Amino acid sequence: MISTRNFSYSILGGLLAILFWNGAAIPVVAVEYYTEKPSFLPSCRIYEPGFTKCSTNSIQKLIDQLNIGIPEIVEKFGPLDPLHVKDIIFKQDNNEVATLRANLSQVVVSGFSQTKIKESRISKKDFNWHTKIFLPKLRLDAKYKMFGRILLIPLNGTGNILIEIENLDILVLTKTKLYEKGGFTFNNITAVQVRLNMSRVITHLDNLFNGQSPEVESSTNQFFNDNWRDFYEALKPLVVDTVEKILLDVMSAIFHLIPANFFIEDIPTPQQFYANVAQNL
């Protein structure tokens, strides 16, 4: 079981932000939601052939613009790469691989700027999303306090932790509910579930045994990296929960800001869509 406390991001003050739009720095006033389609975003039509290819390109263009900067998102979260997260409390009980209590603070997650959208599918039945993402590398740096065992090795220490995941494929299953605001249709993100697959995990924990045995600390880190699949299984709930939380928070902000009409030109209104769903029950 994992709980998060004070999960927050650095906030940039003021309502003015700088958006590098088409290579030019332009001061932009942050708004509640967009009423005009931004030029960086291609629109698609879900009831026409080729929609998935168009949607994949559209979401990639959105990711590219996030890396440049969208004022309202920068105001709320600060830079998305590296992304600052605080206080993750991790608990793993009665597991063959690990029994562990860990508190991570000053968490910095980097690598999202290299996001590649491999596929973006949207269901006409419920407008839920099925998105395949690739990251060449995702890195987590933090301060840790840890007590317990991993792979039968007793751990009791406080220090710095590094987790680096290489060639990370993420399948994101997103549940949404359509709603209306200002005459536009929006997506309300209600749940995010991820499935992760990677080629390697590299880990380093310093001060593992409170500095009492540097030689044992070094050999323990080497053992974790030599047996990285088992080590990842021990920390998998922590990694999955962190990725899901980040995606839920960031996607919710984006899709409350940008109307779904600007992504899907022929999306029905919520009234039309849910009336049709009710008729087909």
Side-chain angles (χ1 to χ4, degrees):
M1 180 184 70
I2 301 171
S3 64
T4 58
R5 182 184 64 198
N6 193 26
F7 190 99
S8 62
Y9 306 91
S10 56
I11 305 298
L12 300 184
L15 290 179
L16 291 179
I18 299 296
L19 173 61
F20 290 88
W21 200 286
N22 296 327
I26 305 172
V28 179
V29 178
V31 297
E32 180 187 353
Y33 62 90
Y34 288 2
T35 57
E36 295 183 3
K37 188 174 81 69
S39 61
F40 66 79
L41 189 65
S43 295
C44 305
R45 299 184 68 84
I46 196 169
Y47 298 104
E48 292 186 0
F51 170 74
T52 296
K53 181 178 180 180
C54 180
S55 175
T56 301
N57 177 59
S58 180
I59 298 303
Q60 184 65 62
K61 294 294 186 183
L62 172 64
I63 295 297
D64 295 343
Q65 190 63 38
L66 283 169
N67 291 329
I68 296 170
I70 294 177
E72 294 79 5
I73 304 303
V74 172
E75 267 193 60
K76 185 166 186 178
F77 298 103
L80 294 183
D81 194 1
L83 184 66
H84 293 263
V85 184
K86 292 183 180 179
D87 294 325
I88 300 175
I89 299 172
F90 174 65
K91 180 181 178 182
Q92 179 83 289
D93 282 326
N94 301 322
N95 185 288
E96 292 182 0
V97 178
T99 298
L100 196 63
R101 302 282 194 281
N103 186 346
L104 302 187
S105 61
Q106 301 179 40
V107 181
V108 178
V109 180
S110 55
F112 282 113
S113 63
Q114 301 301 311
T115 297
K116 300 300 179 187
I117 305 299
K118 296 171 67 175
E119 186 177 73
S120 171
R121 290 185 176 273
I122 301 176
S123 169
K124 300 183 186 73
K125 179 180 178 181
D126 51 22
F127 281 91
N128 290 339
W129 308 340
H130 184 285
T131 311
K132 295 179 181 179
I133 297 172
F134 175 75
L135 295 176
K137 187 178 294 184
L138 185 68
R139 174 170 171 147
L140 182 150
D141 292 272
K143 302 287 186 182
Y144 80 89
K145 292 182 180 179
M146 190 176 296
F147 177 80
R149 64 164 181 85
I150 296 179
L151 303 177
L152 301 179
I153 297 175
L155 300 176
N156 182 13
T158 300
N160 298 312
I161 182 172
L162 176 156
I163 302 174
E164 194 169 85
I165 303 175
E166 297 179 351
N167 299 315
L168 177 60
D169 284 300
I170 308 176
L171 173 61
V172 186
L173 305 175
T174 308
K175 292 186 177 181
T176 73
K177 186 172 180 63
L178 302 183
Y179 73 99
E180 187 272 336
K181 181 168 62 176
F184 295 98
T185 297
F186 285 83
N187 288 295
N188 181 34
I189 312 298
T190 60
V192 173
Q193 180 183 3
V194 301
R195 299 172 186 169
L196 308 181
N197 189 36
M198 69 286 297
S199 66
R200 184 164 175 79
V201 177
I202 299 171
T203 309
H204 183 81
L205 298 94
D206 67 19
N207 205 43
L208 259 180
F209 305 100
N210 290 317
Q212 295 179 5
S213 180
E215 295 81 8
V216 176
E217 176 184 309
S218 177
S219 62
T220 300
N221 276 299
Q222 186 62 51
F223 177 78
F224 288 156
N225 287 318
D226 290 343
N227 298 274
W228 68 268
R229 292 187 186 278
D230 291 330
F231 183 80
Y232 170 71
E233 282 302 315
L235 296 183
K236 182 178 177 179
L238 182 152
V239 175
V240 168
D241 185 77
T242 300
V243 172
E244 288 178 345
K245 177 65 175 172
I246 290 171
L247 291 176
L248 177 61
D249 286 358
V250 174
M251 288 197 301
S252 293
I254 292 169
F255 293 103
H256 286 312
L257 174 69
I258 304 177
N261 309 83
F262 296 163
F263 293 93
I264 305 173
E265 291 181 350
D266 55 347
I267 193 169
T269 66
Q271 294 82 358
Q272 292 170 336
F273 177 69
Y274 292 114
N276 186 57
V277 170
Q279 289 177 0
N280 292 327
L281 289 179

